[in-house]
Coordinates of all heavy atoms in Angstrom, one line a residue:
M22 N 0.9 -1.1 -0.1 CA 0.0 0.1 0.0 C 0.9 1.2 0.0 O 1.8 1.3 0.7 CB -0.9 0.0 1.2 CG -1.8 1.1 1.4 SD -3.2 0.9 2.4 CE -2.8 1.8 3.8
K23 N 0.6 2.1 -0.8 CA 1.4 3.3 -1.1 C 0.7 4.5 -0.3 O -0.6 4.7 -0.6 CB 1.5 3.7 -2.5 CG 2.7 4.6 -2.8 CD 2.8 4.8 -4.3 CE 4.1 4.8 -4.7 NZ 4.3 5.1 -6.2
I24 N 1.3 5.4 0.5 CA 0.8 6.4 1.2 C 1.4 7.7 0.6 O 2.5 7.8 0.5 CB 1.0 6.4 2.7 CG1 0.4 5.1 3.3 CG2 0.4 7.6 3.4 CD1 0.6 4.9 4.7
I25 N 0.5 8.5 0.1 CA 0.9 9.9 -0.4 C 0.6 11.0 0.6 O -0.6 11.1 0.9 CB 0.3 10.0 -1.7 CG1 0.7 8.9 -2.9 CG2 0.7 11.4 -2.5 CD1 -0.1 9.0 -4.2
A26 N 1.6 11.7 0.9 CA 1.3 12.8 1.8 C 0.8 14.0 1.1 O 1.2 14.3 0.0 CB 2.7 13.2 2.5
E27 N -0.2 14.6 1.6 CA -0.7 15.8 1.1 C 0.2 17.1 1.4 O 0.5 17.2 2.6 CB -2.1 16.1 1.7 CG -2.7 17.3 1.1 CD -4.2 17.6 1.6 OE1 -4.6 16.7 2.3 OE2 -4.6 18.7 1.5
V28 N 0.6 17.8 0.5 CA 1.4 19.0 0.7 C 0.6 20.3 0.8 O -0.2 20.5 -0.1 CB 2.5 19.1 -0.4 CG1 3.4 20.4 -0.1 CG2 3.3 17.9 -0.4
L29 N 0.6 20.8 2.0 CA -0.2 22.0 2.1 C 0.7 23.3 1.8 O 1.7 23.5 2.4 CB -0.7 22.1 3.6 CG -1.6 20.9 4.0 CD1 -1.9 21.0 5.5 CD2 -2.8 20.8 3.2
N30 N 0.2 24.0 0.7 CA 1.0 25.2 0.4 C 0.3 26.5 0.8 O 0.7 27.6 0.4 CB 1.2 25.2 -1.1 CG 0.0 25.2 -1.9 OD1 -1.2 25.2 -1.5 ND2 0.1 25.2 -3.3
K31 N -0.7 26.4 1.7 CA -1.5 27.5 2.2 C -1.8 27.2 3.7 O -2.0 26.1 4.0 CB -2.8 27.7 1.5 CG -2.7 28.2 0.0 CD -4.0 28.6 -0.5 CE -5.0 27.5 -0.8 NZ -6.1 27.9 -1.6
P32 N -1.9 28.2 4.4 CA -2.2 27.9 5.8 C -3.7 27.4 6.0 O -4.6 27.7 5.1 CB -2.2 29.3 6.5 CG -1.8 30.3 5.6 CD -1.7 29.6 4.2
Q33 N -3.9 26.5 6.9 CA -5.2 25.9 7.1 C -5.9 26.7 8.2 O -5.4 26.6 9.3 CB -5.2 24.5 7.4 CG -4.4 23.7 6.2 CD -5.1 23.8 5.0 OE1 -6.2 23.5 4.8 NE2 -4.4 24.4 3.9
F34 N -7.0 27.4 8.0 CA -7.6 28.3 9.0 C -9.0 27.8 9.4 O -9.7 27.4 8.6 CB -7.7 29.7 8.5 CG -8.4 30.7 9.2 CD1 -8.0 31.2 10.4 CD2 -9.7 31.1 8.9 CE1 -8.7 32.2 11.1 CE2 -10.4 32.0 9.6 CZ -9.9 32.4 10.7
Q35 N -9.3 28.0 10.7 CA -10.6 27.7 11.3 C -11.0 28.7 12.4 O -10.0 29.2 13.0 CB -10.6 26.3 11.9 CG -10.7 25.2 10.9 CD -10.8 23.9 11.7 OE1 -9.9 23.6 12.5 NE2 -11.9 23.2 11.5
V36 N -12.3 29.0 12.5 CA -12.7 29.8 13.7 C -13.4 28.8 14.6 O -14.3 28.0 14.2 CB -13.7 30.9 13.2 CG1 -14.3 31.6 14.3 CG2 -12.9 31.9 12.3
L37 N -13.2 28.8 15.9 CA -13.7 28.1 16.9 C -14.5 28.9 17.8 O -14.0 30.0 18.2 CB -12.6 27.2 17.7 CG -11.6 26.5 16.9 CD1 -10.6 25.9 17.7 CD2 -12.4 25.3 16.1
T38 N -15.6 28.5 18.1 CA -16.4 29.4 19.1 C -16.8 28.6 20.4 O -17.2 27.5 20.4 CB -17.9 29.7 18.3 OG1 -17.7 30.3 17.1 CG2 -18.7 30.6 19.3
H39 N -16.4 29.2 21.5 CA -16.6 28.7 22.8 C -18.1 28.4 23.0 O -18.9 29.3 22.8 CB -16.1 29.6 23.9 CG -15.9 28.9 25.2 ND1 -17.0 28.7 26.1 CD2 -14.8 28.4 25.8 CE1 -16.6 28.2 27.1 NE2 -15.4 27.8 27.0
C40 N -18.5 27.2 23.4 CA -19.9 26.8 23.5 C -20.5 27.6 24.7 O -21.8 27.7 24.5 CB -20.0 25.4 23.6 SG -19.3 24.7 25.2
H41 N -19.8 28.1 25.6 CA -20.6 28.8 26.8 C -20.5 30.3 26.6 O -21.5 31.0 27.0 CB -20.0 28.3 28.1 CG -20.3 26.8 28.4 ND1 -21.5 26.3 28.5 CD2 -19.5 25.9 28.5 CE1 -21.4 25.1 28.8 NE2 -20.1 24.6 28.7
T42 N -19.3 30.8 26.3 CA -19.1 32.2 26.2 C -19.3 32.9 24.9 O -19.5 34.1 24.8 CB -17.6 32.7 26.7 OG1 -16.7 32.2 25.6 CG2 -17.2 32.1 28.0
G43 N -19.3 32.1 23.8 CA -19.4 32.6 22.4 C -18.2 33.2 22.0 O -18.2 33.8 20.8
E44 N -17.0 33.3 22.7 CA -15.8 33.9 22.2 C -15.3 33.1 21.0 O -15.3 31.9 21.0 CB -14.8 33.9 23.3 CG -13.5 34.4 22.9 CD -12.3 34.1 23.9 OE1 -12.4 33.4 24.8 OE2 -11.4 34.9 23.8
K45 N -14.8 33.9 20.0 CA -14.3 33.4 18.8 C -12.7 33.2 18.9 O -12.1 34.3 19.2 CB -14.8 34.1 17.6 CG -16.2 33.9 17.2 CD -16.7 34.4 16.0 CE -18.2 34.2 16.0 NZ -18.6 33.9 14.6
I46 N -12.2 32.2 18.5 CA -10.7 31.9 18.5 C -10.4 31.5 17.2 O -11.0 30.6 16.5 CB -10.3 30.9 19.6 CG1 -10.6 31.5 21.0 CG2 -8.8 30.6 19.6 CD1 -10.4 30.7 22.1
G47 N -9.2 32.0 16.6 CA -8.8 31.5 15.3 C -7.7 30.4 15.6 O -7.0 30.4 16.5
R48 N -7.7 29.4 14.6 CA -6.7 28.4 14.6 C -6.1 28.3 13.2 O -6.9 28.2 12.3 CB -7.4 27.0 15.0 CG -6.4 26.0 15.0 CD -6.9 24.6 15.4 NE -7.9 24.1 14.7 CZ -8.7 23.1 15.0 NH1 -8.4 22.4 16.1 NH2 -9.6 22.7 14.2
I49 N -4.8 28.4 13.2 CA -4.2 28.4 11.9 C -3.1 27.2 11.9 O -2.3 27.1 12.9 CB -3.5 29.7 11.4 CG1 -4.5 30.8 11.4 CG2 -2.8 29.5 10.0 CD1 -3.9 32.1 11.2
Y50 N -3.0 26.4 10.9 CA -1.9 25.5 10.8 C -1.0 25.9 9.7 O -1.6 26.2 8.6 CB -2.5 24.1 10.5 CG -1.3 23.1 10.1 CD1 -0.5 22.5 11.1 CD2 -1.1 22.7 8.8 CE1 0.5 21.7 10.8 CE2 0.0 21.9 8.5 CZ 0.7 21.4 9.5 OH 1.7 20.5 9.1
F51 N 0.3 26.2 9.9 CA 1.2 26.5 8.9 C 2.1 25.3 8.7 O 2.8 24.7 9.5 CB 2.0 27.6 9.4 CG 1.4 29.0 9.7 CD1 1.0 29.3 11.0 CD2 1.0 29.8 8.6 CE1 0.4 30.5 11.2 CE2 0.4 31.0 8.9 CZ 0.0 31.4 10.2
S52 N 2.0 24.8 7.4 CA 2.9 23.6 7.0 C 4.4 24.1 6.8 O 4.6 25.3 6.6 CB 2.5 23.1 5.7 OG 2.8 24.0 4.5
A53 N 5.3 23.2 6.9 CA 6.8 23.5 6.8 C 7.1 24.2 5.4 O 7.8 25.0 5.3 CB 7.5 22.3 7.1
L54 N 6.4 23.5 4.4 CA 6.6 24.0 3.1 C 6.2 25.5 2.9 O 6.8 26.4 2.3 CB 5.8 23.1 2.0 CG 6.0 23.6 0.5 CD1 7.4 23.4 0.1 CD2 5.0 22.7 -0.3
F55 N 5.0 25.8 3.5 CA 4.5 27.2 3.5 C 5.4 28.1 4.2 O 5.8 29.2 3.7 CB 3.2 27.2 4.0 CG 2.5 28.7 4.0 CD1 1.9 29.1 2.9 CD2 2.6 29.3 5.2 CE1 1.5 30.5 2.9 CE2 2.2 30.7 5.1 CZ 1.5 31.2 4.1
L56 N 5.9 27.7 5.3 CA 6.7 28.5 6.2 C 8.0 28.7 5.5 O 8.7 29.8 5.7 CB 7.0 27.9 7.6 CG 5.8 28.0 8.5 CD1 5.9 27.1 9.7 CD2 5.4 29.4 8.8
A57 N 8.6 27.9 4.8 CA 9.9 28.1 4.1 C 9.9 29.2 3.0 O 10.9 29.9 3.0 CB 10.1 26.7 3.3
E58 N 8.7 29.4 2.6 CA 8.6 30.6 1.6 C 8.1 31.8 2.2 O 8.6 32.9 1.8 CB 7.7 30.1 0.5 CG 7.7 31.3 -0.7 CD 6.9 30.7 -1.9 OE1 6.6 29.5 -1.9 OE2 6.7 31.6 -2.8
F59 N 7.3 31.7 3.2 CA 6.6 32.9 3.8 C 6.9 33.2 5.2 O 6.0 33.9 5.9 CB 5.1 32.8 3.5 CG 4.7 32.7 2.1 CD1 4.2 31.6 1.5 CD2 4.9 33.8 1.2 CE1 4.0 31.5 0.1 CE2 4.6 33.7 -0.1 CZ 4.1 32.5 -0.6
H60 N 7.9 32.7 5.7 CA 8.2 32.8 7.2 C 8.4 34.3 7.7 O 7.9 34.7 8.8 CB 9.5 32.1 7.5 CG 10.8 32.7 7.1 ND1 11.2 32.3 5.8 CD2 11.7 33.5 7.6 CE1 12.3 33.0 5.5 NE2 12.7 33.7 6.6
I61 N 8.7 35.2 6.7 CA 9.0 36.6 7.1 C 7.6 37.2 7.3 O 7.3 37.9 8.4 CB 9.7 37.4 6.1 CG1 11.2 36.9 6.0 CG2 9.6 39.0 6.2 CD1 12.0 37.5 4.9
S62 N 6.6 36.9 6.4 CA 5.2 37.5 6.6 C 4.5 37.1 7.9 O 3.9 37.7 8.6 CB 4.4 37.2 5.3 OG 4.8 37.9 4.2
V63 N 4.7 35.7 8.0 CA 4.1 35.1 9.2 C 4.7 35.6 10.5 O 4.0 35.9 11.4 CB 4.3 33.4 9.1 CG1 3.8 32.8 10.4 CG2 3.5 33.0 7.9
S64 N 5.9 35.8 10.5 CA 6.5 36.3 11.7 C 6.2 37.8 12.0 O 5.8 38.2 13.2 CB 8.1 36.4 11.6 OG 8.6 35.1 11.6
Q65 N 6.1 38.7 10.9 CA 5.6 40.0 11.0 C 4.2 40.0 11.5 O 3.7 40.8 12.4 CB 5.7 40.7 9.7 CG 7.1 41.1 9.3 CD 7.2 41.6 7.9 OE1 6.3 41.5 7.2 NE2 8.4 42.2 7.7
W66 N 3.3 39.1 11.0 CA 1.9 39.1 11.5 C 1.7 38.6 12.8 O 1.0 39.3 13.7 CB 1.2 38.1 10.5 CG -0.3 38.0 10.8 CD1 -1.2 38.8 10.4 CD2 -1.0 36.9 11.4 NE1 -2.6 38.5 10.8 CE2 -2.4 37.3 11.4 CE3 -0.5 35.8 12.0 CZ2 -3.3 36.5 12.0 CZ3 -1.5 35.0 12.6 CH2 -2.9 35.3 12.6
L67 N 2.5 37.7 13.3 CA 2.4 37.2 14.7 C 2.9 38.2 15.7 O 2.5 38.2 16.8 CB 3.2 35.9 14.8 CG 2.6 34.6 14.2 CD1 3.5 33.5 14.2 CD2 1.3 34.3 14.8
Q68 N 3.9 39.1 15.2 CA 4.4 40.1 16.2 C 3.4 41.3 16.3 O 3.8 42.1 17.3 CB 5.7 40.6 15.7 CG 6.9 39.4 15.8 CD 8.1 39.8 15.1 OE1 8.4 41.0 14.9 NE2 8.9 38.7 14.7
Q69 N 2.4 41.4 15.7 CA 1.5 42.6 15.9 C 0.8 42.4 17.2 O 0.5 41.3 17.7 CB 0.4 42.5 14.9 CG 0.8 42.7 13.4 CD -0.2 42.6 12.4 OE1 -0.8 43.6 12.1 NE2 -0.6 41.4 12.0
Q70 N 0.7 43.5 17.8 CA 0.0 43.5 19.2 C -1.3 43.1 19.3 O -1.8 42.6 20.3 CB 0.1 45.0 19.8 CG 1.6 45.4 20.2 CD 1.8 46.7 20.8 OE1 0.7 47.4 21.0 NE2 3.0 47.0 21.3
K71 N -2.1 43.3 18.1 CA -3.6 42.8 18.1 C -3.7 41.2 17.9 O -4.8 40.8 18.1 CB -4.3 43.5 16.9 CG -3.7 43.2 15.5 CD -4.2 44.1 14.6 CE -3.7 43.9 13.1 NZ -4.4 44.7 12.2
I72 N -2.7 40.5 17.7 CA -2.7 39.1 17.6 C -2.2 38.6 19.0 O -1.0 38.6 19.4 CB -1.8 38.5 16.5 CG1 -2.1 39.1 15.1 CG2 -1.9 37.0 16.4 CD1 -3.5 38.9 14.6
L73 N -3.2 38.0 19.7 CA -2.9 37.6 21.1 C -2.9 36.1 21.2 O -3.8 35.3 20.8 CB -4.1 38.1 22.0 CG -4.4 39.6 21.8 CD1 -5.7 40.0 22.7 CD2 -3.2 40.4 22.3
F74 N -1.8 35.6 21.9 CA -1.6 34.2 22.0 C -0.6 34.0 23.2 O 0.2 34.9 23.5 CB -1.3 33.4 20.7 CG 0.1 33.9 20.2 CD1 1.3 33.2 20.5 CD2 0.1 34.9 19.4 CE1 2.5 33.6 20.0 CE2 1.3 35.3 18.7 CZ 2.4 34.7 19.0
D75 N -0.6 32.8 23.7 CA 0.4 32.4 24.8 C 1.2 31.3 24.2 O 0.8 30.7 23.2 CB -0.3 32.1 26.1 CG -1.0 33.3 26.7 OD1 -0.5 34.2 26.7 OD2 -2.1 33.1 27.3
E76 N 2.3 31.0 25.0 CA 3.1 29.8 24.5 C 2.3 28.5 24.5 O 2.6 27.7 23.6 CB 4.3 29.7 25.6 CG 5.3 28.7 25.2 CD 6.5 28.7 26.1 OE1 6.9 29.7 26.6 OE2 7.0 27.6 26.3
Q77 N 1.5 28.3 25.3 CA 0.6 27.1 25.3 C -0.3 27.0 24.1 O -1.0 26.0 23.7 CB -0.2 26.8 26.6 CG -1.3 27.7 26.9 CD -0.9 28.9 27.8 OE1 0.3 29.2 27.8 NE2 -1.9 29.5 28.2
D78 N -0.5 28.2 23.3 CA -1.4 28.2 22.2 C -0.7 27.8 20.9 O -1.3 27.8 20.0 CB -1.9 29.7 22.1 CG -2.8 30.1 23.2 OD1 -3.5 29.2 23.7 OD2 -2.7 31.2 23.6
I79 N 0.7 27.4 21.1 CA 1.4 27.1 19.9 C 1.8 25.6 20.0 O 2.3 25.2 21.1 CB 2.7 27.9 19.8 CG1 2.2 29.4 19.6 CG2 3.5 27.4 18.5 CD1 3.4 30.3 19.7
K80 N 1.6 24.9 19.0 CA 2.1 23.5 19.0 C 3.0 23.3 17.7 O 2.7 23.6 16.6 CB 0.9 22.5 18.7 CG 1.2 21.1 18.3 CD 1.5 20.2 19.6 CE 1.7 18.8 19.0 NZ 2.3 18.0 20.0
Q81 N 4.3 23.0 18.1 CA 5.3 22.8 17.0 C 5.5 21.4 16.7 O 5.4 20.5 17.6 CB 6.6 23.5 17.4 CG 6.5 25.0 17.6 CD 7.9 25.5 18.0 OE1 8.4 25.1 18.9 NE2 8.3 26.5 17.3
Y82 N 5.6 21.0 15.4 CA 5.8 19.8 15.0 C 7.2 19.4 14.4 O 7.9 20.4 14.1 CB 4.8 19.4 13.8 CG 3.4 19.5 14.3 CD1 2.6 20.7 14.1 CD2 2.7 18.5 15.1 CE1 1.4 20.9 14.4 CE2 1.4 18.7 15.4 CZ 0.7 19.9 15.1 OH -0.5 20.0 15.6
A83 N 7.7 18.3 14.4 CA 9.0 17.8 14.1 C 9.4 18.2 12.8 O 10.6 18.5 12.5 CB 9.2 16.3 14.3
D84 N 8.5 18.3 11.8 CA 8.8 18.7 10.4 C 9.0 20.2 10.2 O 9.2 20.6 9.1 CB 7.8 18.2 9.5 CG 6.4 18.8 9.7 OD1 6.2 19.6 10.5 OD2 5.5 18.5 8.8
G85 N 8.8 21.0 11.2 CA 8.9 22.5 11.1 C 7.7 23.2 11.0 O 7.6 24.5 11.0
S86 N 6.5 22.5 10.9 CA 5.3 23.1 10.8 C 4.8 23.4 12.2 O 5.3 23.1 13.2 CB 4.2 22.1 10.1 OG 4.1 21.0 10.9
F87 N 3.8 24.4 12.3 CA 3.2 24.6 13.6 C 1.7 25.0 13.5 O 1.2 25.3 12.4 CB 3.9 25.6 14.4 CG 3.8 27.0 14.0 CD1 2.9 27.9 14.5 CD2 4.8 27.5 13.0 CE1 2.9 29.2 14.1 CE2 4.6 28.8 12.6 CZ 3.7 29.7 13.1
R88 N 1.0 24.8 14.6 CA -0.5 25.2 14.7 C -0.5 26.3 15.8 O 0.2 26.1 16.9 CB -1.3 24.1 15.1 CG -2.7 24.4 15.3 CD -3.4 23.3 16.1 NE -2.9 23.4 17.6 CZ -2.7 22.3 18.3 NH1 -3.0 21.1 18.0 NH2 -2.4 22.7 19.5
I89 N -1.3 27.3 15.6 CA -1.5 28.3 16.6 C -2.9 28.7 16.8 O -3.7 28.6 15.9 CB -0.7 29.6 16.3 CG1 -0.8 30.7 17.5 CG2 -1.2 30.2 14.9 CD1 0.2 31.7 17.2
Y90 N -3.4 28.8 18.2 CA -4.6 29.4 18.5 C -4.4 30.8 18.9 O -3.5 31.1 19.6 CB -5.3 28.7 19.7 CG -5.6 27.3 19.3 CD1 -4.7 26.3 19.6 CD2 -6.9 27.0 19.0 CE1 -5.1 24.9 19.4 CE2 -7.2 25.6 18.7 CZ -6.4 24.6 18.8 OH -6.7 23.3 18.6
F91 N -5.2 31.7 18.4 CA -4.9 33.2 18.6 C -6.5 33.9 18.9 O -7.4 33.5 18.4 CB -4.3 33.9 17.6 CG -5.1 34.0 16.2 CD1 -5.8 35.2 15.9 CD2 -5.0 33.0 15.3 CE1 -6.4 35.4 14.8 CE2 -5.8 33.2 14.1 CZ -6.4 34.3 13.8
R92 N -6.2 34.9 19.6 CA -7.5 35.8 19.9 C -7.1 37.2 19.3 O -6.0 37.5 19.2 CB -7.8 35.9 21.4 CG -8.2 34.6 22.1 CD -8.1 34.6 23.5 NE -6.9 34.6 24.1 CZ -5.8 33.8 24.0 NH1 -5.9 32.7 23.4 NH2 -4.6 34.0 24.6
T93 N -8.2 38.0 19.2 CA -8.0 39.3 18.6 C -9.2 40.1 18.9 O -10.3 39.5 19.1 CB -7.7 39.3 17.1 OG1 -7.4 40.6 16.7 CG2 -8.8 38.6 16.3
K94 N -8.9 41.4 18.9 CA -10.2 42.3 19.3 C -11.1 42.3 18.0 O -12.4 42.4 18.2 CB -9.8 43.8 19.6 CG -9.1 43.9 20.9 CD -8.7 45.3 21.2 CE -8.0 45.3 22.6 NZ -7.5 46.6 23.0
L95 N -10.5 42.3 16.8 CA -11.3 42.1 15.6 C -11.7 40.7 15.5 O -11.3 39.8 16.2 CB -10.6 42.6 14.4 CG -10.2 44.1 14.4 CD1 -9.4 44.4 13.3 CD2 -11.4 45.1 14.5
S96 N -12.4 40.3 14.4 CA -12.7 38.9 14.3 C -11.5 38.2 13.7 O -10.5 38.7 13.1 CB -13.8 38.9 13.2 OG -13.4 39.2 11.8
P97 N -11.5 36.9 14.0 CA -10.2 36.1 13.7 C -10.2 36.0 12.0 O -9.1 36.1 11.5 CB -10.4 34.7 14.2 CG -11.4 35.0 15.4 CD -12.2 36.2 15.1
E98 N -11.4 36.1 11.4 CA -11.4 36.1 10.0 C -10.8 37.3 9.4 O -9.9 37.2 8.4 CB -12.8 36.0 9.4 CG -13.5 34.8 9.7 CD -14.5 34.9 11.0 OE1 -14.2 35.8 11.8 OE2 -15.3 34.1 11.2
T99 N -11.0 38.4 9.9 CA -10.5 39.7 9.5 C -8.9 39.6 9.6 O -8.2 40.1 8.7 CB -11.0 40.9 10.4 OG1 -12.4 40.9 10.1 CG2 -10.3 42.3 9.8
E100 N -8.4 39.2 10.8 CA -7.0 39.1 10.9 C -6.3 38.1 9.9 O -5.2 38.2 9.5 CB -6.6 38.8 12.3 CG -7.0 39.9 13.3 CD -6.5 41.4 12.9 OE1 -5.4 41.4 12.3 OE2 -7.1 42.2 13.3
Y101 N -7.0 37.0 9.7 CA -6.6 36.0 8.8 C -6.4 36.5 7.4 O -5.4 36.3 6.8 CB -7.5 34.7 8.8 CG -7.0 33.7 7.8 CD1 -5.8 32.9 7.8 CD2 -7.8 33.6 6.6 CE1 -5.6 32.0 6.9 CE2 -7.4 32.6 5.6 CZ -6.3 31.9 5.7 OH -5.8 31.0 4.7
F102 N -7.5 37.3 7.0 CA -7.4 37.9 5.7 C -6.3 39.0 5.6 O -5.7 39.1 4.5 CB -8.7 38.4 5.2 CG -9.8 37.3 5.0 CD1 -10.9 37.3 5.7 CD2 -9.4 36.3 4.1 CE1 -11.9 36.3 5.4 CE2 -10.3 35.2 3.9 CZ -11.5 35.3 4.5
H103 N -6.0 39.5 6.7 CA -4.9 40.5 6.7 C -3.6 39.8 6.5 O -2.7 40.2 5.8 CB -4.8 41.2 8.1 CG -3.8 42.2 8.2 ND1 -3.0 42.4 9.2 CD2 -3.4 43.2 7.3 CE1 -2.1 43.3 9.0 NE2 -2.3 43.9 7.9
L104 N -3.4 38.6 7.1 CA -2.2 37.8 6.9 C -2.2 37.4 5.5 O -1.0 37.5 4.9 CB -2.3 36.5 7.8 CG -1.2 35.4 7.5 CD1 0.2 35.9 7.7 CD2 -1.6 34.3 8.3
I105 N -3.1 37.0 4.9 CA -3.1 36.6 3.4 C -2.8 37.7 2.5 O -2.1 37.5 1.6 CB -4.5 35.9 3.0 CG1 -4.9 34.7 3.8 CG2 -4.5 35.7 1.5 CD1 -3.8 33.6 3.6
A106 N -3.3 39.0 2.8 CA -2.8 40.2 2.1 C -1.4 40.4 2.3 O -0.7 40.7 1.2 CB -3.6 41.3 2.6
M107 N -0.9 40.3 3.5 CA 0.6 40.4 3.6 C 1.4 39.4 2.7 O 2.4 39.7 2.1 CB 0.9 40.3 5.1 CG 0.4 41.3 6.0 SD 0.8 41.0 7.8 CE 2.6 41.0 7.8
I108 N 1.0 38.2 2.7 CA 1.6 37.2 1.9 C 1.6 37.5 0.5 O 2.6 37.3 -0.2 CB 1.0 35.7 2.2 CG1 1.4 35.3 3.7 CG2 1.4 34.7 1.3 CD1 0.5 34.2 4.3
R109 N 0.4 37.9 0.0 CA 0.3 38.1 -1.4 C 1.1 39.3 -1.8 O 1.6 39.3 -2.9 CB -1.1 38.4 -1.8 CG -2.0 37.2 -1.8 CD -3.4 37.4 -2.4 NE -4.0 36.1 -2.4 CZ -5.2 35.9 -2.1 NH1 -6.1 36.8 -1.9 NH2 -5.8 34.6 -2.3
Q110 N 1.4 40.2 -1.0 CA 2.4 41.2 -1.3 C 3.8 40.8 -1.4 O 4.5 41.3 -2.2 CB 2.3 42.4 -0.2 CG 1.1 43.3 -0.2 CD 1.1 44.3 0.9 OE1 1.9 44.3 1.8 NE2 0.0 45.1 1.0
Q111 N 4.0 39.8 -0.7 CA 5.4 39.2 -0.6 C 5.5 38.4 -2.0 O 6.6 38.5 -2.7 CB 5.7 38.3 0.6 CG 7.0 37.6 0.5 CD 7.3 36.7 1.7 OE1 6.6 36.8 2.7 NE2 8.2 35.9 1.6
S112 N 4.5 37.5 -2.3 CA 4.6 36.8 -3.5 C 3.0 36.1 -3.6 O 2.6 35.6 -2.6 CB 5.6 35.6 -3.3 OG 5.6 34.7 -4.3
P113 N 2.6 36.0 -4.8 CA 1.2 35.3 -5.1 C 1.4 34.0 -4.6 O 2.3 33.2 -4.8 CB 1.1 35.4 -6.5 CG 2.1 36.3 -7.1 CD 3.2 36.4 -6.1
L114 N 0.2 33.5 -3.9 CA 0.0 32.0 -3.5 C -0.1 31.1 -4.7 O -0.6 31.5 -5.6 CB -1.2 31.9 -2.5 CG -1.0 32.4 -1.1 CD1 -2.3 32.3 -0.5 CD2 0.1 31.7 -0.5

């Protein structure tokens, strides 16, 4: 049996809503392949004061990829689209 790994060349984004409080949290998975090309834009985006997360909100994987949960005063979708705009300025996806 042959297993073919799926290569993710874009971040995988989801919005999670807390069932009791209704608070929305963004979750993004960045593949190692994506980070190899766009690490500068991702770093700049994560360093913004409006993107809130703690160390326990980050899960790093052995292949260099990582997943992050983040909060923001604006909607997580708005901030995700801001990240995509930054990436497109660096190079089209």
